[in-house]
Amino acid sequence: MKISINGDVCIGSGQCALTAPGVFTQDDDGFSELLPGRADGGGDPMVREAARACPVQAISVEG
């Protein structure tokens, strides 16, 4: 699985970090980012739900 976050679209709602905190976090400005080494989702079953929870669809999950 490959996860990407479109930083131009992200509004920093934090839904991804709340849904899958083992994969997503927020930077100092409140925008979403992947935790180091988690670009593949780390086997977290909530990754796809986190992408669906994003109110602006800034997260894409492939694979």
Side-chain angles (χ1 to χ4, degrees):
M1 159 180 340
K2 181 181 180 219
I3 305 165
S4 58
I5 302 169
N6 184 336
D8 293 332
V9 175
C10 179
I11 60 170
S13 73
Q15 293 304 304
C16 58
L18 290 171
T19 305
V23 177
F24 299 95
T25 189
Q26 290 179 283
D27 66 15
D28 291 339
D29 294 320
F31 295 104
S32 296
E33 63 183 15
L34 292 166
L35 289 168
R38 294 300 184 146
D40 65 354
D44 191 322
M46 294 301 290
V47 169
R48 291 187 193 280
E49 183 58 34
R52 283 190 287 273
C54 180
V56 294
Q57 287 80 48
I59 300 168
S60 63
V61 180
E62 298 175 29

